[in-house]
Amino acid sequence: DYGFDSNLGPGSGNNGDGASHGGAGVRNVNIAVIGKGAGYGSYLWPTTMGSGGGGTSGGRGGSALALHAQKVFTHNGIIESNGAKGLTDHGSGAGGSILITAPTFYGAGDLFANGGGLPPDNNGGAVRGYSGGGGRVAVHCQDTTWTGKATTYATSGASSGTVYFDCGDRGKDTLIIDNNEQAPNNAMFTRLVSIDQSLYTLNILDVRGKATFAIDSEGNSPGSDITLRVNKITGDSTGTVHIHSNRVIILSGFTQD
């Protein structure tokens, strides 16, 4: 199943625009609007669908999947909620959401909530479709031997979504922003955008794979301060953390791969 159809959802845009969700879609008309083209949904408990790409034949957004186990969750396959690529000259959909909660998480399966790729171009770029932003993945557990991948990347100028682990050896209160070595366009950030939130706290923020990260909040009045307290920022030296006006990051440590 998919999420929002073409032209639908809070992160949709005009004809040809890439849709947004955890990350921003390319040329999205609402790129500066928190809760729309600049991103929406919770990184911590993601339950929102990906928005559909712009145009009558835009790609659908990824679905919202929530999987809960009372004792043990074992995953050895593929769970995906990717945005769909738009048809020629129509925008692609944004990745959806995957939320897993279980006391114990085993296996080697993968979790994908990637943005829809660049659609075909029929007229040399005069009017064309653009790629969608990444979705959101979160895994909450107490103990794990899980060795699979979790990705929310985007391509062709769109920005990545979010991957959050509070799950044993995979990470304690850890947020990962990774765009798979595909640099987003200028001002295409992956933002924290929880509603009416002025203070975020994290143990580890990991920004890598040419991703770009910023903090914001949906519903806060313009000019209000928003703070992120984080014990450690880590990465691979290719990611970028942006601190905009009225934004504060209080940091305890920094490491680089």
Side-chain angles (χ1 to χ4, degrees):
D1 292 338
Y2 281 101
F4 287 106
D5 206 346
S6 56
N7 285 326
L8 297 178
S12 189
N14 291 338
N15 188 46
D17 291 1
S20 301
H21 182 198
V26 175
R27 210 192 67 169
N28 192 292
V29 68
N30 295 309
I31 191 63
V33 183
I34 306 302
K36 293 187 176 182
Y40 63 94
S42 170
Y43 72 92
L44 192 62
W45 301 98
T47 57
T48 42
M49 299 189 299
S51 293
T56 56
S57 297
R60 299 192 68 160
S63 58
L65 306 173
L67 305 170
H68 308 285
Q70 292 185 339
K71 294 184 178 180
V72 177
F73 186 91
T74 302
H75 170 47
N76 285 307
I78 295 175
I79 298 173
E80 62 182 14
S81 180
N82 298 327
K85 182 185 293 187
L87 298 184
T88 301
D89 299 329
H90 295 260
S92 291
S97 294
I98 300 173
L99 171 63
I100 293 176
T101 61
T104 302
F105 186 26
Y106 291 150
D110 298 327
L111 309 172
F112 300 139
N114 303 318
L118 187 67
D121 177 15
N122 193 41
N123 50 33
V127 178
R128 68 152 308 133
Y130 294 89
S131 52
R136 299 191 184 276
V137 172
V139 180
H140 297 260
C141 76
Q142 298 169 12
D143 179 62
T144 188
T145 58
W146 174 61
T147 58
K149 300 189 295 292
T151 67
T152 58
Y153 64 79
T155 65
S156 304
S159 60
S160 68
T162 57
V163 175
Y164 179 82
F165 291 124
D166 195 4
C167 187
D169 293 339
R170 287 302 293 261
K172 290 292 188 181
D173 191 24
T174 297
L175 179 64
I176 301 170
I177 315 294
D178 184 349
N179 211 32
N180 195 37
E181 305 300 324
Q182 306 230 16
N185 292 346
N186 187 38
M188 300 282 289
F189 306 113
T190 302
R191 291 177 164 98
L192 296 188
V193 293
S194 296
I195 296 175
D196 295 326
Q197 189 159 339
S198 59
L199 175 64
Y200 298 94
T201 60
L202 284 170
N203 180 32
I204 297 174
L205 171 64
D206 188 328
V207 184
R208 60 181 56 243
K210 298 185 178 179
T212 57
F213 171 80
I215 55 173
D216 273 296
S217 181
E218 180 184 353
N220 285 50
S221 59
S224 59
D225 292 340
I226 300 175
T227 300
L228 168 63
R229 294 181 181 270
V230 59
N231 290 331
K232 182 188 292 186
I233 295 178
T234 187
D236 61 357
S237 79
T238 69
T240 306
V241 176
H242 292 259
I243 306 175
H244 298 141
S245 177
N246 299 106
R247 305 295 182 259
V248 178
I249 294 181
I250 300 174
L251 172 64
S252 300
F254 175 83
T255 61
Q256 177 178 303
D257 290 354

